[in-house]
Protein backbone atom coordinates (compact mmCIF):
# COMPACT_ATOMS: atom_id res chain seq x y z
CA UNK A 1 0.00 0.00 0.00
CA UNK A 2 2.84 2.40 0.76
CA UNK A 3 4.18 2.35 -2.81
CA UNK A 4 0.69 3.04 -4.20
CA UNK A 5 0.35 6.12 -1.98
CA UNK A 6 3.80 7.40 -3.04
CA UNK A 7 2.89 6.94 -6.73
CA UNK A 8 -0.39 8.82 -6.33
CA UNK A 9 1.28 11.68 -4.46
CA UNK A 10 3.91 12.06 -7.21
CA UNK A 11 1.18 12.13 -9.90
CA UNK A 12 -0.70 14.82 -7.98
CA UNK A 13 2.42 17.03 -7.82
CA UNK A 14 2.94 16.89 -11.61
CA UNK A 15 -0.56 17.97 -12.66
CA UNK A 16 -0.65 21.24 -14.60
CA UNK A 17 -2.58 24.17 -13.14
CA UNK A 18 -6.03 24.63 -14.68
CA UNK A 19 -7.54 27.89 -15.92
CA UNK A 20 -10.22 28.84 -13.38
CA UNK A 21 -13.73 30.24 -13.84
CA UNK A 22 -15.60 31.58 -10.79
CA UNK A 23 -19.20 30.57 -10.14
CA UNK A 24 -21.42 33.28 -8.61
CA UNK A 25 -22.48 31.21 -5.59
CA UNK A 26 -20.46 33.06 -2.94
CA UNK A 27 -22.57 33.79 0.13
CA UNK A 28 -25.21 31.16 -0.62
CA UNK A 29 -26.22 29.08 2.45
CA UNK A 30 -24.93 25.53 1.99
CA UNK A 31 -26.80 22.31 2.74
CA UNK A 32 -24.10 19.87 1.61
CA UNK A 33 -21.50 18.95 -0.98
CA UNK A 34 -21.59 15.34 -2.21
CA UNK A 35 -18.97 13.52 -4.29
CA UNK A 36 -20.17 10.22 -5.75
CA UNK A 37 -18.27 7.86 -8.00
CA UNK A 38 -14.95 6.24 -8.62
CA UNK A 39 -11.69 6.99 -10.42
CA UNK A 40 -13.24 6.80 -13.88
CA UNK A 41 -16.60 8.46 -13.33
CA UNK A 42 -17.44 10.84 -10.50
CA UNK A 43 -19.97 13.62 -10.01
CA UNK A 44 -20.12 16.46 -7.50
CA UNK A 45 -23.36 17.97 -6.23
CA UNK A 46 -23.52 21.27 -4.37
CA UNK A 47 -26.90 21.61 -2.65
CA UNK A 48 -27.91 24.96 -1.24
CA UNK A 49 -30.29 25.42 1.70
CA UNK A 50 -32.97 26.79 -0.64
CA UNK A 51 -33.05 23.38 -2.41
CA UNK A 52 -31.13 24.26 -5.58
CA UNK A 53 -28.75 21.50 -6.63
CA UNK A 54 -25.81 22.00 -8.95
CA UNK A 55 -24.38 18.72 -10.33
CA UNK A 56 -21.27 18.51 -12.47
CA UNK A 57 -18.73 15.92 -13.52
CA UNK A 58 -15.38 15.74 -11.79
CA UNK A 59 -12.55 15.86 -14.29
CA UNK A 60 -9.37 16.10 -12.25
CA UNK A 61 -9.60 17.06 -8.59
CA UNK A 62 -12.10 18.26 -6.01
CA UNK A 63 -10.78 20.53 -3.27
CA UNK A 64 -13.05 21.56 -0.44
CA UNK A 65 -11.47 24.20 1.78
CA UNK A 66 -12.99 23.70 5.19
CA UNK A 67 -13.73 25.65 8.29
CA UNK A 68 -14.75 24.82 11.85
CA UNK A 69 -18.06 22.99 11.74
CA UNK A 70 -17.54 21.34 8.34
CA UNK A 71 -17.89 17.57 8.65
CA UNK A 72 -16.68 14.98 6.14
CA UNK A 73 -18.18 11.50 5.81
CA UNK A 74 -16.85 8.83 3.42
CA UNK A 75 -19.09 5.85 2.69
CA UNK A 76 -18.51 2.78 0.53
CA UNK A 77 -21.32 2.61 -2.06
CA UNK A 78 -20.46 -0.61 -3.85
CA UNK A 79 -17.33 -2.58 -4.84
CA UNK A 80 -15.84 0.40 -6.69
CA UNK A 81 -17.55 3.61 -5.65
CA UNK A 82 -17.47 5.98 -2.71
CA UNK A 83 -19.75 8.72 -1.48
CA UNK A 84 -18.10 11.68 0.27
CA UNK A 85 -20.38 14.16 2.04
CA UNK A 86 -19.33 17.56 3.33
CA UNK A 87 -21.96 19.11 5.56
CA UNK A 88 -22.58 21.02 8.76
CA UNK A 89 -24.78 23.64 10.33
CA UNK A 90 -24.60 27.36 9.55
CA UNK A 91 -22.26 27.07 6.56
CA UNK A 92 -22.11 29.01 3.30
CA UNK A 93 -20.27 28.83 0.02
CA UNK A 94 -17.44 31.37 0.34
CA UNK A 95 -16.18 30.72 -3.21
CA UNK A 96 -16.56 28.13 -5.95
CA UNK A 97 -14.64 27.78 -9.17
CA UNK A 98 -14.18 25.30 -11.99
CA UNK A 99 -10.91 24.62 -13.79
CA UNK A 100 -10.19 23.33 -17.28
CA UNK A 101 -6.83 22.77 -18.98
CA UNK A 102 -6.86 25.39 -21.77
CA UNK A 103 -8.05 28.89 -22.63
CA UNK A 104 -10.38 27.67 -25.42
CA UNK A 105 -12.04 25.29 -22.96
CA UNK A 106 -12.29 28.10 -20.37
CA UNK A 107 -14.13 30.35 -22.84
CA UNK A 108 -16.58 27.59 -23.83
CA UNK A 109 -17.07 26.65 -20.17
CA UNK A 110 -17.88 30.26 -19.26
CA UNK A 111 -20.60 30.37 -21.94
CA UNK A 112 -22.07 27.02 -20.85
CA UNK A 113 -21.95 28.09 -17.18
CA UNK A 114 -23.94 31.23 -17.95
CA UNK A 115 -26.75 29.12 -19.47
CA UNK A 116 -26.53 26.46 -16.73
CA UNK A 117 -26.74 28.96 -13.89
CA UNK A 118 -29.67 30.73 -15.56
CA UNK A 119 -31.65 27.50 -15.04
CA UNK A 120 -30.44 27.18 -11.41
CA UNK A 121 -28.66 23.97 -12.37
CA UNK A 122 -31.87 22.21 -13.50
CA UNK A 123 -29.75 19.71 -15.50
CA UNK A 124 -26.27 18.37 -14.87
CA UNK A 125 -23.43 20.46 -16.29
CA UNK A 126 -21.94 18.37 -19.09
CA UNK A 127 -18.33 19.22 -18.32
CA UNK A 128 -15.68 17.33 -16.39
CA UNK A 129 -13.73 19.99 -14.53
CA UNK A 130 -11.46 20.53 -11.58
CA UNK A 131 -13.52 21.95 -8.75
CA UNK A 132 -12.55 24.14 -5.80
CA UNK A 133 -15.10 25.04 -3.15
CA UNK A 134 -14.38 27.18 -0.13
CA UNK A 135 -16.79 26.83 2.78
CA UNK A 136 -17.16 29.39 5.56
CA UNK A 137 -19.30 29.67 8.68
CA UNK A 138 -22.36 31.89 8.61
CA UNK A 139 -21.89 34.57 11.30
CA UNK A 140 -24.40 34.06 14.09
CA UNK A 141 -26.12 36.96 15.81
CA UNK A 142 -24.97 37.54 19.40
CA UNK A 143 -27.63 36.86 22.01
Amino acid sequence: MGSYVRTVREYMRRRPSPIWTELPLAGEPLAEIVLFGNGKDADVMVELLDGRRFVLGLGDALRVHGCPGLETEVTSWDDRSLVMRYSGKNLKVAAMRLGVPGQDDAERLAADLHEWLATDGADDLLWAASIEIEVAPVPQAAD
Side-chain angles (χ1 to χ4, degrees):
M1 180 61 107
S3 63
Y4 172 74
V5 172
R6 281 191 287 278
T7 301
V8 169
R9 289 181 69 197
E10 184 59 33
Y11 164 78
M12 292 174 73
R13 286 188 192 111
R14 290 192 315 251
R15 288 191 327 245
S17 296
I19 296 172
W20 295 102
T21 301
E22 296 289 328
L23 273 73
L25 297 177
E28 294 287 346
L30 180 66
E32 67 179 351
I33 300 165
V34 178
L35 167 70
F36 171 78
N38 57 55
K40 292 191 179 279
D41 185 24
D43 291 320
V44 175
M45 178 190 70
V46 176
E47 183 175 1
L48 304 177
L49 274 182
D50 64 11
R52 289 181 289 161
R53 293 180 179 152
F54 298 92
V55 179
L56 52 147
L58 180 61
D60 188 29
L62 168 67
R63 288 189 192 103
V64 177
H65 301 278
C67 64
L70 180 67
E71 300 173 7
T72 304
E73 176 185 322
V74 180
T75 307
S76 174
W77 178 260
D78 57 24
D79 289 346
R80 298 183 181 150
S81 301
L82 295 173
V83 177
M84 295 179 76
R85 295 181 66 227
Y86 301 88
S87 60
K89 294 183 187 294
N90 302 315
L91 299 175
K92 67 180 178 180
V93 176
M96 183 172 171
R97 62 186 190 161
L98 304 181
V100 291
Q103 186 60 41
D104 290 342
D105 286 338
E107 291 169 8
R108 288 189 332 210
L109 174 62
D112 288 353
L113 278 175
H114 180 72
E115 292 178 20
W116 183 61
L117 291 168
T119 67
D120 286 332
D123 295 314
D124 296 359
L125 181 65
L126 300 178
W127 277 83
S130 295
I131 304 165
E132 281 195 353
I133 304 169
E134 184 178 345
V135 177
V138 174
Q140 299 299 303
D143 292 332

